[in-house]
Amino acid sequence: MGENSKIEWCAHTFNPWIGCTKISPACDNCYAAAWDARWGNSWGPHVRRRTSAANWRKPLAWHKAAAAAGERHRVFCASLADVFDNDRSITSGWRGDLWHLFHRTPNLDWLLLTKRTQNIARYLRPEEYGDLPKWGDGWPNVWLGTTVENQEEADRRIPQLLAMPAAVRFVSAEPLLGPVDLTPHLCPKQWSCDFGAESGGGSARGTIPKLDWVIVGGESGPRARPMHPDWVRGLRDQCQAAGVAFFFKQWGEWGPPKPYPIPAQPGEMTRFTVATSSDSKRVGATVWRVGRGLERQSEFMDRKGKRAAGRMLDGRTWDGMPEVMREGRADA
Protein backbone atom coordinates (compact mmCIF):
# COMPACT_ATOMS: atom_id res chain seq x y z
CA MET A 1 0.00 0.00 0.00
CA GLY A 2 2.95 2.31 0.45
CA GLU A 3 6.57 3.20 1.26
CA ASN A 4 9.80 2.24 -0.45
CA SER A 5 8.16 2.59 -3.83
CA LYS A 6 9.56 0.79 -6.86
CA ILE A 7 8.44 3.72 -9.00
CA GLU A 8 11.61 5.50 -10.09
CA TRP A 9 10.37 9.07 -9.63
CA CYS A 10 9.09 8.88 -6.04
CA ALA A 11 10.16 7.63 -2.62
CA HIS A 12 6.78 6.34 -1.44
CA THR A 13 3.31 5.51 -2.69
CA PHE A 14 0.17 6.07 -0.66
CA ASN A 15 -3.35 4.96 -1.48
CA PRO A 16 -6.09 6.66 0.54
CA TRP A 17 -8.58 4.38 -1.14
CA ILE A 18 -8.47 1.69 -3.83
CA GLY A 19 -10.50 1.41 -6.98
CA CYS A 20 -11.15 3.14 -10.28
CA THR A 21 -12.95 2.83 -13.61
CA LYS A 22 -11.28 2.52 -17.01
CA ILE A 23 -11.83 5.67 -19.08
CA SER A 24 -9.21 5.86 -21.87
CA PRO A 25 -6.77 3.78 -23.97
CA ALA A 26 -4.09 4.03 -21.26
CA CYS A 27 -6.41 2.03 -19.00
CA ASP A 28 -6.79 -0.97 -21.31
CA ASN A 29 -4.11 -3.05 -19.57
CA CYS A 30 -4.22 -1.28 -16.20
CA TYR A 31 -1.82 -2.91 -13.72
CA ALA A 32 -3.91 -1.69 -10.79
CA ALA A 33 -7.06 -3.29 -12.17
CA ALA A 34 -5.17 -6.57 -12.66
CA TRP A 35 -3.89 -6.35 -9.07
CA ASP A 36 -7.39 -5.67 -7.79
CA ALA A 37 -8.83 -8.62 -9.69
CA ARG A 38 -6.60 -10.88 -7.59
CA TRP A 39 -6.72 -9.13 -4.23
CA GLY A 40 -9.81 -6.94 -4.07
CA ASN A 41 -13.08 -5.99 -5.65
CA SER A 42 -12.84 -2.26 -6.23
CA TRP A 43 -12.84 -1.78 -10.01
CA GLY A 44 -15.84 -0.42 -11.80
CA PRO A 45 -18.50 2.04 -10.62
CA HIS A 46 -19.38 2.65 -6.97
CA VAL A 47 -17.03 0.13 -5.30
CA ARG A 48 -14.12 2.24 -4.00
CA ARG A 49 -12.61 0.93 -0.77
CA ARG A 50 -10.87 3.10 1.83
CA THR A 51 -7.55 1.78 3.14
CA SER A 52 -6.84 1.04 6.78
CA ALA A 53 -6.14 3.50 9.59
CA ALA A 54 -2.65 1.98 9.89
CA ASN A 55 -1.98 2.79 6.24
CA TRP A 56 -3.13 6.37 6.78
CA ARG A 57 -0.60 6.76 9.60
CA LYS A 58 2.39 5.85 7.41
CA PRO A 59 2.80 9.29 5.79
CA LEU A 60 3.14 10.83 9.26
CA ALA A 61 6.15 8.57 9.88
CA TRP A 62 7.62 9.44 6.46
CA HIS A 63 7.21 13.12 7.22
CA LYS A 64 8.94 12.74 10.57
CA ALA A 65 11.86 10.89 8.96
CA ALA A 66 12.18 13.49 6.18
CA ALA A 67 12.14 16.35 8.69
CA ALA A 68 14.79 14.67 10.86
CA ALA A 69 17.04 14.22 7.83
CA GLY A 70 16.43 17.74 6.51
CA GLU A 71 15.02 16.29 3.30
CA ARG A 72 11.87 16.27 1.24
CA HIS A 73 10.35 12.99 0.09
CA ARG A 74 8.09 12.61 -2.93
CA VAL A 75 4.89 10.60 -2.44
CA PHE A 76 2.79 9.31 -5.35
CA CYS A 77 -0.88 9.54 -4.38
CA ALA A 78 -2.62 7.33 -5.50
CA SER A 79 -1.18 4.44 -7.50
CA LEU A 80 -4.32 2.28 -7.20
CA ALA A 81 -6.92 5.03 -7.56
CA ASP A 82 -7.51 8.57 -8.83
CA VAL A 83 -7.71 11.40 -6.30
CA PHE A 84 -10.00 13.38 -8.64
CA ASP A 85 -12.35 10.47 -9.31
CA ASN A 86 -15.94 11.67 -8.89
CA ASP A 87 -17.39 8.24 -8.13
CA ARG A 88 -20.19 8.53 -5.58
CA SER A 89 -18.63 5.89 -3.32
CA ILE A 90 -15.83 8.37 -2.45
CA THR A 91 -17.23 10.43 0.39
CA SER A 92 -16.36 14.03 1.20
CA GLY A 93 -14.99 12.73 4.50
CA TRP A 94 -12.35 10.65 2.69
CA ARG A 95 -11.24 13.60 0.60
CA GLY A 96 -11.29 15.93 3.59
CA ASP A 97 -9.07 13.55 5.55
CA LEU A 98 -6.68 13.47 2.61
CA TRP A 99 -6.39 17.26 2.46
CA HIS A 100 -5.71 17.36 6.19
CA LEU A 101 -2.98 14.76 5.70
CA PHE A 102 -1.33 16.92 3.02
CA HIS A 103 -1.47 19.89 5.36
CA ARG A 104 0.08 17.96 8.27
CA THR A 105 3.05 16.71 6.21
CA PRO A 106 4.81 19.78 4.73
CA ASN A 107 8.08 17.83 4.31
CA LEU A 108 6.39 15.49 1.83
CA ASP A 109 5.78 16.53 -1.76
CA TRP A 110 2.49 14.93 -2.78
CA LEU A 111 2.24 14.02 -6.48
CA LEU A 112 -1.37 13.76 -7.68
CA LEU A 113 -1.62 12.10 -11.09
CA THR A 114 -5.05 12.04 -12.73
CA LYS A 115 -6.80 11.21 -15.98
CA ARG A 116 -9.80 13.26 -14.80
CA THR A 117 -8.45 16.80 -15.21
CA GLN A 118 -11.99 18.08 -15.77
CA ASN A 119 -12.64 17.40 -12.06
CA ILE A 120 -9.59 19.15 -10.58
CA ALA A 121 -11.21 22.55 -10.04
CA ARG A 122 -14.21 20.91 -8.40
CA TYR A 123 -12.12 19.20 -5.72
CA LEU A 124 -9.28 21.71 -5.19
CA ARG A 125 -11.21 23.43 -2.42
CA PRO A 126 -9.52 22.32 0.79
CA GLU A 127 -11.13 25.15 2.78
CA GLU A 128 -14.40 23.20 2.51
CA TYR A 129 -12.98 20.51 4.79
CA GLY A 130 -12.53 22.43 8.02
CA ASP A 131 -9.79 24.78 9.19
CA LEU A 132 -7.55 24.53 6.13
CA PRO A 133 -6.07 27.29 3.94
CA LYS A 134 -7.53 27.90 0.51
CA TRP A 135 -5.81 26.44 -2.52
CA GLY A 136 -5.01 29.94 -3.80
CA ASP A 137 -1.87 29.81 -5.95
CA GLY A 138 -1.39 26.19 -4.93
CA TRP A 139 -0.02 24.46 -1.86
CA PRO A 140 3.80 24.25 -2.00
CA ASN A 141 3.86 20.51 -1.26
CA VAL A 142 1.17 19.38 -3.73
CA TRP A 143 2.07 18.76 -7.38
CA LEU A 144 -0.57 18.25 -10.08
CA GLY A 145 -0.08 15.89 -13.02
CA THR A 146 -1.99 14.13 -15.75
CA THR A 147 -1.51 11.09 -17.98
CA VAL A 148 -1.11 11.77 -21.72
CA GLU A 149 -0.84 8.48 -23.57
CA ASN A 150 -1.53 9.93 -27.03
CA GLN A 151 -2.03 13.26 -28.78
CA GLU A 152 -5.79 13.28 -28.32
CA GLU A 153 -5.57 13.01 -24.54
CA ALA A 154 -2.69 15.49 -24.39
CA ASP A 155 -4.76 18.07 -26.28
CA ARG A 156 -7.74 17.50 -23.98
CA ARG A 157 -6.14 17.13 -20.54
CA ILE A 158 -3.13 19.45 -20.52
CA PRO A 159 -5.05 22.74 -20.97
CA GLN A 160 -7.30 21.73 -18.06
CA LEU A 161 -4.23 20.95 -15.96
CA LEU A 162 -2.48 24.22 -16.79
CA ALA A 163 -5.62 26.16 -15.90
CA MET A 164 -5.04 25.23 -12.25
CA PRO A 165 -2.36 26.90 -10.10
CA ALA A 166 0.18 24.49 -8.62
CA ALA A 167 3.75 24.36 -7.31
CA VAL A 168 4.58 21.87 -10.08
CA ARG A 169 2.55 20.76 -13.09
CA PHE A 170 3.66 17.59 -14.82
CA VAL A 171 2.62 14.94 -17.31
CA SER A 172 3.22 11.21 -17.30
CA ALA A 173 3.31 9.87 -20.85
CA GLU A 174 2.94 6.27 -19.68
CA PRO A 175 2.02 4.07 -21.32
CA LEU A 176 3.09 6.09 -24.34
CA LEU A 177 0.95 4.74 -27.20
CA GLY A 178 1.93 7.08 -30.02
CA PRO A 179 3.91 10.20 -30.94
CA VAL A 180 2.95 13.26 -28.89
CA ASP A 181 3.76 16.91 -29.52
CA LEU A 182 3.97 18.83 -26.23
CA THR A 183 5.65 21.89 -27.74
CA PRO A 184 2.66 24.22 -27.21
CA HIS A 185 2.74 23.48 -23.47
CA LEU A 186 6.48 23.67 -22.73
CA CYS A 187 6.78 27.46 -22.70
CA PRO A 188 4.53 30.04 -20.99
CA LYS A 189 2.18 31.93 -23.30
CA GLN A 190 0.78 35.42 -22.96
CA TRP A 191 -2.87 36.14 -23.70
CA SER A 192 -4.91 39.33 -23.89
CA CYS A 193 -8.49 40.29 -24.57
CA ASP A 194 -9.98 43.71 -25.34
CA PHE A 195 -13.64 44.14 -24.49
CA GLY A 196 -15.96 46.10 -26.72
CA ALA A 197 -18.09 49.04 -25.64
CA GLU A 198 -21.12 46.77 -25.32
CA SER A 199 -19.20 44.89 -22.60
CA GLY A 200 -18.14 48.00 -20.76
CA GLY A 201 -14.74 48.37 -22.43
CA GLY A 202 -11.41 47.57 -20.84
CA SER A 203 -9.04 44.68 -21.36
CA ALA A 204 -7.61 41.64 -19.62
CA ARG A 205 -4.21 40.01 -19.88
CA GLY A 206 -2.53 37.01 -18.37
CA THR A 207 -0.11 34.13 -18.74
CA ILE A 208 -0.80 30.47 -19.45
CA PRO A 209 1.88 28.58 -17.50
CA LYS A 210 4.04 25.80 -18.88
CA LEU A 211 4.61 22.21 -17.86
CA ASP A 212 7.44 21.77 -15.36
CA TRP A 213 8.19 18.08 -15.82
CA VAL A 214 7.64 15.29 -18.37
CA ILE A 215 7.81 11.61 -17.42
CA VAL A 216 7.83 9.00 -20.19
CA GLY A 217 7.46 5.24 -19.95
CA GLY A 218 6.43 2.16 -21.89
CA GLU A 219 3.82 -0.38 -20.90
CA SER A 220 4.61 -3.48 -18.87
CA GLY A 221 2.70 -6.71 -18.33
CA PRO A 222 1.66 -9.68 -20.48
CA ARG A 223 -0.51 -7.62 -22.85
CA ALA A 224 1.85 -4.65 -23.11
CA ARG A 225 1.91 -2.61 -26.30
CA PRO A 226 5.37 -1.68 -27.65
CA MET A 227 6.61 1.90 -27.65
CA HIS A 228 8.61 3.23 -30.59
CA PRO A 229 12.00 4.69 -29.54
CA ASP A 230 11.42 7.77 -31.69
CA TRP A 231 8.27 8.62 -29.72
CA VAL A 232 10.48 8.83 -26.63
CA ARG A 233 13.24 10.71 -28.43
CA GLY A 234 10.72 13.20 -29.75
CA LEU A 235 9.53 14.10 -26.24
CA ARG A 236 13.10 14.22 -24.95
CA ASP A 237 14.15 16.60 -27.71
CA GLN A 238 11.10 18.82 -27.16
CA CYS A 239 11.91 19.06 -23.44
CA GLN A 240 15.58 19.79 -24.04
CA ALA A 241 14.77 22.56 -26.50
CA ALA A 242 12.40 24.19 -24.00
CA GLY A 243 14.51 23.61 -20.88
CA VAL A 244 11.86 21.39 -19.28
CA ALA A 245 12.88 18.46 -17.07
CA PHE A 246 12.64 15.07 -18.81
CA PHE A 247 12.48 11.76 -16.92
CA PHE A 248 12.59 8.43 -18.80
CA LYS A 249 11.07 5.87 -16.46
CA GLN A 250 11.19 2.60 -18.41
CA TRP A 251 10.90 0.83 -21.74
CA GLY A 252 8.40 -1.59 -20.23
CA GLU A 253 7.83 -5.07 -21.59
CA TRP A 254 9.34 -4.23 -25.01
CA GLY A 255 12.84 -2.81 -25.33
CA PRO A 256 15.26 -1.99 -28.14
CA PRO A 257 17.87 -4.59 -28.98
CA LYS A 258 21.52 -3.95 -28.19
CA PRO A 259 23.46 -2.28 -29.63
CA TYR A 260 20.89 0.49 -29.66
CA PRO A 261 19.65 1.34 -33.17
CA ILE A 262 20.57 4.60 -34.86
CA PRO A 263 17.88 7.25 -34.30
CA ALA A 264 15.83 8.49 -37.23
CA GLN A 265 17.04 11.66 -38.89
CA PRO A 266 15.20 14.98 -38.39
CA GLY A 267 12.23 15.35 -40.69
CA GLU A 268 11.41 11.64 -40.76
CA MET A 269 8.12 10.17 -39.62
CA THR A 270 7.83 6.89 -37.73
CA ARG A 271 5.20 4.23 -37.21
CA PHE A 272 5.04 0.59 -36.19
CA THR A 273 4.53 -2.08 -38.79
CA VAL A 274 1.94 -4.75 -38.05
CA ALA A 275 4.40 -7.57 -38.64
CA THR A 276 5.76 -9.60 -35.75
CA SER A 277 8.15 -12.51 -35.63
CA SER A 278 6.82 -16.06 -35.59
CA ASP A 279 7.25 -16.31 -31.83
CA SER A 280 5.68 -12.86 -31.22
CA LYS A 281 8.82 -11.69 -29.42
CA ARG A 282 9.89 -9.05 -31.90
CA VAL A 283 7.89 -6.17 -33.35
CA GLY A 284 9.13 -4.24 -36.35
CA ALA A 285 9.07 -0.47 -36.59
CA THR A 286 9.47 1.39 -39.86
CA VAL A 287 10.93 4.84 -40.46
CA TRP A 288 9.33 6.40 -43.52
CA ARG A 289 11.53 9.06 -45.12
CA VAL A 290 9.46 12.09 -46.04
CA GLY A 291 9.60 12.95 -49.71
CA ARG A 292 11.67 9.88 -50.61
CA GLY A 293 9.07 7.51 -51.90
CA LEU A 294 9.21 4.09 -50.28
CA GLU A 295 12.72 4.39 -48.91
CA ARG A 296 12.70 3.27 -45.28
CA GLN A 297 14.75 2.03 -42.37
CA SER A 298 13.68 -0.71 -39.97
CA GLU A 299 13.94 -0.63 -36.20
CA PHE A 300 12.87 -3.46 -33.93
CA MET A 301 11.68 -3.87 -30.37
CA ASP A 302 12.25 -7.13 -28.54
CA ARG A 303 9.91 -8.59 -25.95
CA LYS A 304 12.34 -9.03 -23.07
CA GLY A 305 10.50 -8.03 -19.88
CA LYS A 306 10.60 -4.81 -17.88
CA ARG A 307 13.78 -5.55 -15.91
CA ALA A 308 15.81 -6.67 -18.93
CA ALA A 309 14.55 -3.81 -21.09
CA GLY A 310 15.69 -1.30 -18.49
CA ARG A 311 15.51 2.48 -18.84
CA MET A 312 18.49 3.46 -20.97
CA LEU A 313 17.72 5.76 -23.89
CA ASP A 314 20.47 6.21 -26.48
CA GLY A 315 23.13 4.98 -24.08
CA ARG A 316 22.22 6.85 -20.89
CA THR A 317 19.54 7.38 -18.25
CA TRP A 318 17.42 10.52 -18.11
CA ASP A 319 16.48 11.55 -14.57
CA GLY A 320 15.47 15.18 -14.99
CA MET A 321 13.57 16.77 -12.10
CA PRO A 322 11.50 19.96 -12.10
CA GLU A 323 13.09 23.32 -11.34
CA VAL A 324 11.71 23.37 -7.80
CA MET A 325 13.98 20.41 -7.00
CA ARG A 326 17.05 21.99 -8.63
CA GLU A 327 16.62 25.16 -6.60
CA GLY A 328 17.71 23.45 -3.42
CA ARG A 329 14.74 21.51 -2.11
CA ALA A 330 16.31 18.23 -1.01
CA ASP A 331 15.00 14.87 -2.08
CA ALA A 332 15.33 11.23 -1.04
Side-chain angles (χ1 to χ4, degrees):
M1 238 35 95
E3 73 186 306
N4 302 321
S5 176
K6 294 182 180 179
I7 298 174
E8 290 80 357
W9 43 262
C10 67
H12 307 288
T13 58
F14 172 75
N15 285 283
W17 53 84
I18 295 174
C20 200
T21 301
K22 295 182 178 183
I23 62 170
S24 77
C27 304
D28 289 350
N29 300 321
C30 178
Y31 71 91
W35 177 91
D36 188 72
R38 295 182 61 189
W39 305 107
N41 186 26
S42 305
W43 240 254
H46 320 318
V47 289
R48 310 298 182 259
R49 176 167 51 90
R50 179 166 169 147
T51 55
S52 68
N55 185 60
W56 277 74
R57 288 192 294 268
K58 288 180 179 179
L60 300 177
W62 304 337
H63 173 263
K64 183 178 180 180
E71 298 175 340
R72 305 191 61 79
H73 294 178
R74 291 187 302 276
V75 181
F76 176 23
C77 179
S79 62
L80 301 175
D82 189 328
V83 170
F84 297 107
D85 186 356
N86 62 344
D87 189 88
R88 70 187 186 198
S89 62
I90 301 172
T91 72
S92 61
W94 292 7
R95 221 179 300 267
D97 289 345
L98 186 60
W99 282 111
H100 278 89
L101 184 60
F102 295 164
H103 187 59
R104 294 177 62 190
T105 54
N107 278 86
L108 301 181
D109 286 320
W110 292 88
L111 281 61
L112 312 185
L113 181 62
T114 183
K115 296 183 180 71
R116 295 167 172 83
T117 48
Q118 72 277 10
N119 295 337
I120 295 178
R122 174 180 175 182
Y123 293 121
L124 276 185
R125 298 176 180 177
E127 68 275 9
E128 295 181 355
Y129 305 113
D131 187 20
L132 290 173
K134 293 183 178 181
W135 180 251
D137 291 331
W139 286 11
N141 69 326
V142 180
W143 303 5
L144 299 181
T146 187
T147 301
V148 292
E149 66 266 38
N150 56 34
Q151 192 67 55
E152 179 182 2
E153 295 302 339
D155 293 343
R156 182 176 70 86
R157 294 173 181 159
I158 293 177
Q160 294 171 334
L161 173 71
L162 294 179
M164 300 306 303
V168 173
R169 301 173 187 85
F170 68 99
V171 300
S172 174
E174 183 186 5
L176 183 58
L177 303 179
V180 176
D181 181 10
L182 295 181
T183 304
H185 311 295
L186 297 178
C187 295
K189 293 180 288 187
Q190 304 296 320
W191 64 269
S192 62
C193 180
D194 295 318
F195 303 105
E198 65 276 8
S199 301
S203 62
R205 289 173 174 77
T207 301
I208 300 174
K210 68 179 180 67
L211 292 170
D212 301 296
W213 192 26
V214 175
I215 303 167
V216 178
E219 194 168 36
S220 56
R223 298 179 180 177
R225 292 157 285 189
M227 175 177 64
H228 196 295
D230 284 347
W231 302 345
V232 187
R233 294 176 182 127
L235 287 172
R236 176 201 60 193
D237 295 347
Q238 293 169 39
C239 289
Q240 287 190 307
V244 171
F246 174 80
F247 191 105
F248 183 50
K249 178 176 176 284
Q250 64 175 30
W251 284 108
E253 183 71 15
W254 298 84
K258 295 182 180 180
Y260 293 99
I262 299 173
Q265 297 300 312
E268 295 177 351
M269 300 178 61
T270 61
R271 72 177 186 184
F272 273 112
T273 63
V274 296
T276 62
S277 62
S278 59
D279 61 1
S280 299
K281 291 188 176 181
R282 172 162 284 196
V283 172
T286 300
V287 178
W288 295 85
R289 299 181 182 276
V290 178
R292 298 186 183 181
L294 297 179
E295 185 179 355
R296 58 192 181 184
Q297 163 188 328
S298 293
E299 186 164 347
F300 291 90
M301 299 291 282
D302 290 339
R303 183 161 206 151
K304 54 179 67 176
K306 174 182 173 180
R307 179 174 296 183
R311 51 190 301 264
M312 298 279 286
L313 171 64
D314 293 336
R316 56 160 288 190
T317 56
W318 301 81
D319 294 327
M321 295 301 301
E323 190 68 31
V324 69
M325 301 302 302
R326 297 198 295 268
E327 289 175 346
R329 290 175 59 176
D331 168 55

